[in-house]
Amino acid sequence: MATPADPRRRRGTRHPFVSVLLIAGSAVLAGARSFAAIGQWAKAAPQEALARLGARTTAAFNLRVAPSAATIRRVLNAVCPGGLADLLGADPAGTATPAVDGKSARGSRTATGPAAHLLAAMTGTGLAVTQLRVPDKTNEIACFAALLEPFDLTGVTVTADALHTQRDHARFLVEEKRAHYLMVVKANQPGLLRQLRSLPWKLATARRYDRETGHGRKETRATRALTVTELGLDFPHAVQAARILRHRTHLRSGKVTRQTIYALTDLTARQASPQRLGRLARSQWVIENRLHFVRDTAFAEDASKIRTGHGPQNMATFRSFAINQLRAAGHTNIVAGIREMSYEPFHRPLDLLGLA
């Protein structure tokens, strides 16, 4: 991906654009949660670190000078959020099951406007791909294709929650992106849900049972799959339907809950067994558990008061970038990884980013 354009005017520009971005990324890796914190990190950075970050040099004394917090704020509020997200995200080509889901940055709400709602994509291995802000007075549905359009998704199976179970989305993925899909069907598609409920599930011979214990509960999942190409199902490219029955027993209270989930996919029975369909359905939770939840707990995103310009989405992009870098380095606990970076805040983040 190309570096997004510098949003500043040429006249009066003193600090290199890429240097400002590197400073922001390094500071967030060290635990910075706001523009003020990034500026404070930059101000405290030693000459060696500023040199590695490409900070500007004064002619008189040959010293490196860090950009101020105000400069950092202006740049990050103005830089193109889509270009920045694509630049700092992971490439989904050939990856396992990218998932699409949205999240609101609650602290960005103003007296005159709603909170910034960010639609994101994440690989099945827990790496953020990209994100974009959903325009006010619209919803995620209108942004689905724009989010995924820049990427090569050939052969990849994209999962999405029930909001994105849309016929246009299915056509876009299969016909334009040469990808596959697995989409959950809920009450927002009442006619389609009725069709799925009425299928001859008792005749399904393709079945899978999974049992596991964790998070204070026992869970049993029974997955059945049916080929629906000859059953007149009204959904583009649908080949298989899946019904997943979840039985959960909470170990402490003994409370038992039951949930039935229906899903559609263009994958054939040879391409996706009931076992794989069950895994695909569960992979949608990856983006909630490994991106949105982590940004809240590790970076207190919902408490962030960044509200102006492109600040909310660009700061969220830097948080996702930090998560990607820590995961790629083998950190399974992001909070612990940030803490480790903070012990040597002007060396370890730069080493992680490979800055010589």
Side-chain angles (χ1 to χ4, degrees), residues 65-87:
V65 180
S68 66
T71 296
I72 293 169
R73 180 182 292 106
R74 283 196 298 271
V75 171
L76 297 189
N77 274 336
V79 65
C80 171
L84 185 66
D86 291 348
L87 173 69

Side-chain angles (χ1 to χ4, degrees), residues 9-25:
R9 297 178 181 176
R10 283 189 176 184
R11 187 174 181 180
T13 297
R14 296 188 297 169
H15 298 280
F17 177 55
V18 172
S19 177
V20 175
L21 298 184
L22 288 174
I23 287 171

Side-chain angles (χ1 to χ4, degrees), residues 122 125-127 290 294 322-331 334:
M122 189 176 204
T125 55
L127 298 179
R290 304 194 70 188
V294 174
I323 293 169
N324 283 4
Q325 296 303 309
L326 290 168
R327 286 219 172 98
H331 291 278
I334 300 302

Side-chain angles (χ1 to χ4, degrees), residues 166-183 192 226-241 263-269 271 277:
Q166 306 289 332
R167 289 160 177 80
D168 288 343
H169 292 358
R171 294 189 188 97
F172 166 75
L173 289 172
V174 176
E175 298 171 13
E176 295 185 34
K177 305 304 292 182
R178 299 182 182 277
H180 302 290
Y181 66 81
L182 183 132
M183 297 179 179
L192 186 59
L226 282 171
T227 298
V228 296
T229 49
E230 303 298 328
L231 300 181
L233 205 63
D234 182 23
F235 200 80
H237 305 289
V239 175
Q240 283 195 97
L264 283 172
T265 181
D266 68 312
L267 295 167
T268 66
Q271 292 172 311
L277 293 176

Side-chain angles (χ1 to χ4, degrees), residues 97-309:
T97 59
V100 175
D101 196 17
K103 175 189 181 297
S104 292
R106 298 177 184 177
S108 64
R109 183 181 293 109
T110 66
T112 58
H117 191 77
L118 308 175
L119 183 65
M122 189 176 204
T123 70
T125 55
L127 298 179
V129 174
T130 189
Q131 71 175 12
L132 57 78
R133 181 170 181 170
V134 177
D136 297 342
K137 299 182 181 180
T138 183
N139 58 36
E140 295 178 18
I141 296 173
C143 300
F144 182 88
L147 180 77
L148 299 176
E149 180 60 44
F151 301 99
D152 178 10
L153 299 176
T154 304
V156 170
T157 302
V158 177
T159 67
D161 62 14
L163 178 65
H164 294 289
T165 304
Q166 306 289 332
R167 289 160 177 80
D168 288 343
H169 292 358
R171 294 189 188 97
F172 166 75
L173 289 172
V174 176
E175 298 171 13
E176 295 185 34
K177 305 304 292 182
R178 299 182 182 277
H180 302 290
Y181 66 81
L182 183 132
M183 297 179 179
V184 175
V185 180
K186 292 185 178 178
N188 64 316
Q189 295 278 1
L192 186 59
L193 183 59
R194 281 195 300 270
Q195 284 185 292
L196 289 175
R197 285 174 172 169
S198 65
L199 292 177
W201 293 107
K202 291 183 178 180
L203 303 179
T205 57
R207 305 179 185 184
R208 169 75 182 188
Y209 295 89
D210 294 290
R211 295 177 178 85
E212 64 180 35
T213 301
H215 305 287
R217 63 178 182 246
K218 291 182 179 178
E219 181 172 313
T220 300
R221 295 182 300 276
T223 304
R224 298 189 181 194
L226 282 171
T227 298
V228 296
T229 49
E230 303 298 328
L231 300 181
L233 205 63
D234 182 23
F235 200 80
H237 305 289
V239 175
Q240 283 195 97
R243 186 181 74 170
I244 304 169
L245 274 66
R246 292 177 176 170
H247 294 265
R248 291 177 177 172
T249 303
H250 292 263
L251 300 179
R252 176 172 293 184
S253 64
K255 182 180 178 181
V256 178
T257 58
R258 177 177 174 175
Q259 183 183 27
T260 303
I261 296 172
Y262 295 93
L264 283 172
T265 181
D266 68 312
L267 295 167
T268 66
R270 288 189 175 185
Q271 292 172 311
S273 65
Q275 180 181 14
R276 187 185 177 202
L277 293 176
R279 286 201 303 265
L280 287 170
R282 295 194 73 199
S283 69
Q284 178 58 31
W285 289 98
V286 169
I287 191 169
E288 179 64 33
N289 294 335
R290 304 194 70 188
L291 182 64
H292 297 158
F293 177 76
V294 174
R295 289 208 315 236
D296 283 339
T297 55
F299 296 102
E301 182 168 87
D302 280 345
S304 173
K305 298 302 180 184
I306 296 173
R307 296 168 176 166
T308 56

